[in-house]
Amino acid sequence: DCNTGKSASNAMVAKREFVGSDAYNLLLAAMDLAEKTDAPTADEANLKNEDAAGLFSSDANILHKLETQELGDPRTDEGFKSFFTAYDNFKAVLTTESKAQDALKVCIAGEDVDANTCTTRLETAYAMAGPFECISRGSDDECLQAVQNGDAALAVVGGFQLFAAREDYKLAAIVAESTSLDLGSASYYGVALTKRSMCSPDAIDGGQGSITGLDMSLKGQKACHTGYRKTSGWVLPVGKMIDDGIMDPTRWRAEAQEENVRVDAETVEKFWDDNVCAPGKTADGPAIDANGNGKVYGETGKGGLCKLCKEDCTENDPYAGYEGAVLCMDEDDGKDATGGDIAFVKHSTIKDYGAGLTLDKSEYVGICPTKADGSDGGCMQLYDKDGNYVDEGGNTVGTDGAGQPAYLSCNTGKSA
């Protein structure tokens, strides 16, 4: 396969017994999802009242009901795994009906969120499911804890927290967004992208560089991650390279502890020889302050996970996020100390990329994992010059004779 994995975007999670309750049925009816039994098609990609509600990300264009004929019951392991395929070690659970609350409580995370505004927007958007009451917590984990404890019925979290929602908090996912119209599911693939010229001549036609695949030929290259512990930009590719023995976290565990840095952060920094931009922080990493809280690791132009970032190495850095990682790989800002050669993003990033690029989109190719027989994964064209997906033969998907999109066999993984 030649992708970094498949993952979902954001999803609404709730206690398992919430599924099928009166409040659940009213909420889905208000969201125009109650009658959905199959995955939505592109012409059904309406977001009823979502602009008013504002729970999902601004670039979402489909909401998927996760209780469908295709995906099954979201309360069960099989139903959850059919939606969130990056994690598959869960046990079947029993579910019961729950009595609808007088007010359906929704937890929203962030330091500057306004719970009163959230309540007003939800009651305006989904009046038939109301009344609503929003409560605020400082982080996604705190919101998941609130749902588990019964202080809230619902929360919306992203792919990395979805694993915690299921594994640590035993919650079910009931509605998920999709930010791309090309997949009939709420999941996406991660891909490792580089310019064609960076690949070796043996890896792809037109190659002039040294990259032979998602392997040790990447050591010391310049890397652009969407952010620290972001799903397609960090969890999928780093996890894949650790699983394949390309990165070795055991070598850096002691040094990470001495420097108060998370082991995965130290491992990534050392693999790229400091030539990396992985902006942002979580509640407890990548670096750890005296109070045990997370902080960014390094400084722009100097080292850590920040050397190749453009400005402040926060989530607001121009090189943060999907388009930021592509910009990091693509632009020549005239500074040797910023920018990179490889971008870890999701499969649709180049297709949807709105800003100008320095090359045709066909020149941004996938770096593929090592094949099952141990041979180099090579590089693979994923898009035509306009950004449409191509098959492994370079034929634009949707045209006569074209096969499946090449990213299905050239990715770092699949996740929700």
Side-chain angles (χ1 to χ4, degrees):
D1 288 348
C2 192
N3 56 56
T4 57
K6 179 183 175 186
S7 178
S9 299
N10 295 316
M12 180 182 289
V13 296
K15 278 191 171 183
R16 296 169 183 172
E17 56 264 33
F18 181 78
V19 178
S21 69
D22 291 342
Y24 168 84
N25 293 329
L26 285 171
L27 177 65
L28 264 62
M31 301 174 79
D32 201 24
L33 295 171
E35 303 302 319
K36 301 294 184 184
T37 58
D38 296 295
T41 59
D43 60 357
E44 297 176 323
N46 62 304
L47 292 173
K48 182 179 179 184
N49 296 322
E50 177 50 27
D51 286 343
L55 283 178
F56 292 89
S57 61
S58 59
D59 55 351
N61 50 43
I62 300 177
L63 292 183
H64 296 261
K65 176 184 175 182
L66 299 181
E67 185 184 20
T68 64
Q69 294 174 358
E70 176 188 2
L71 298 177
D73 188 337
R75 297 169 295 190
T76 66
D77 286 342
E78 290 305 313
F80 186 84
K81 287 184 283 186
S82 65
F83 147 68
F84 194 36
T85 58
Y87 306 95
D88 59 2
N89 296 320
F90 305 107
K91 295 181 180 179
V93 295
L94 297 175
T95 58
T96 59
E97 286 280 324
S98 66
K99 182 179 179 181
Q101 303 178 44
D102 291 336
L104 191 58
K105 292 186 178 182
V106 179
C107 187
I108 54 175
E111 297 178 356
D112 301 318
V113 296
D114 187 334
N116 291 330
T117 298
C118 168
T119 298
T120 300
R121 294 180 71 174
L122 289 178
E123 291 193 338
T124 300
Y126 303 137
M128 66 182 294
F132 287 89
E133 178 184 348
C134 291
I135 64 171
S136 62
R137 295 290 187 269
S139 68
D140 286 336
D141 281 335
E142 291 179 42
C143 272
L144 294 176
Q145 184 73 53
V147 175
Q148 183 187 52
N149 292 342
D151 296 330
L154 304 168
V156 175
V157 296
F160 192 79
Q161 288 78 24
L162 278 172
F163 177 78
R166 180 70 179 187
E167 184 75 1
D168 300 334
Y169 297 97
K170 311 305 179 188
L171 305 181
I174 58 174
V175 176
E177 69 178 33
S178 175
T179 59
S180 179
L181 294 174
D182 58 279
L183 284 176
S185 73
S187 300
Y188 60 82
Y189 289 85
V191 292
L193 299 179
T194 191
K195 293 178 181 178
R196 183 185 297 265
S197 61
M198 293 295 299
C199 295
S200 74
D202 292 334
I204 195 170
D205 289 343
Q208 304 172 25
S210 60
I211 295 175
T212 59
L214 200 70
D215 52 35
M216 288 303 297
S217 67
L218 300 183
K219 182 76 172 71
Q221 301 282 358
K222 297 180 178 180
C224 305
H225 296 263
T226 57
Y228 177 64
R229 289 196 177 174
K230 297 297 185 181
T231 304
S232 59
W234 183 280
V235 177
L236 293 178
V238 173
K240 176 66 174 172
M241 287 191 281
I242 289 174
D243 284 344
D244 288 353
I246 301 166
M247 291 182 176
D248 182 6
T250 62
R251 291 183 59 193
W252 309 110
R253 186 167 289 119
E255 185 170 333
Q257 292 173 347
E258 291 175 4
E259 297 180 0
N260 287 325
V261 174
R262 292 297 172 190
V263 176
D264 60 339
E266 189 75 15
T267 301
V268 168
E269 177 202 13
K270 292 297 191 292
F271 183 82
W272 301 120
D273 294 339
D274 284 346
N275 293 313
V276 59
C277 175
K281 64 179 181 178
T282 64
D284 59 359
I288 309 164
D289 67 16
N291 297 317
N293 299 316
K295 63 179 182 178
V296 297
Y297 176 33
E299 296 181 42
T300 299
K302 294 185 178 180
L305 298 181
C306 300
K307 181 178 178 179
L308 299 186
C309 294
K310 192 163 187 176
E311 293 181 0
D312 58 5
C313 195
T314 69
E315 61 183 11
N316 298 316
D317 193 282
Y319 289 166
Y322 297 122
E323 293 203 357
V326 171
L327 180 65
C328 171
M329 171 187 66
D330 185 56
E331 79 166 351
D332 182 1
D333 63 358
K335 300 177 181 178
D336 291 336
T338 57
D341 304 318
I342 301 164
F344 296 102
V345 291
K346 60 181 178 180
H347 73 278
S348 61
T349 301
I350 289 291
K351 181 177 183 292
D352 299 335
Y353 194 79
L357 293 167
T358 61
L359 302 170
D360 287 341
K361 291 186 176 182
S362 60
E363 294 300 301
Y364 302 92
V365 300
I367 305 172
C368 308
T370 301
K371 297 175 183 177
D373 62 5
S375 60
D376 293 338
C379 298
M380 185 179 293
Q381 183 177 337
L382 304 182
Y383 317 95
D384 65 17
K385 65 182 181 65
D386 298 317
N388 302 302
Y389 301 124
V390 299
D391 64 13
E392 292 187 34
N395 305 300
T396 301
V397 173
T399 60
D400 290 343
Q404 293 295 308
Y407 67 75
L408 293 176
S409 59
C410 183
N411 60 69
T412 54
K414 174 185 175 184
S415 184

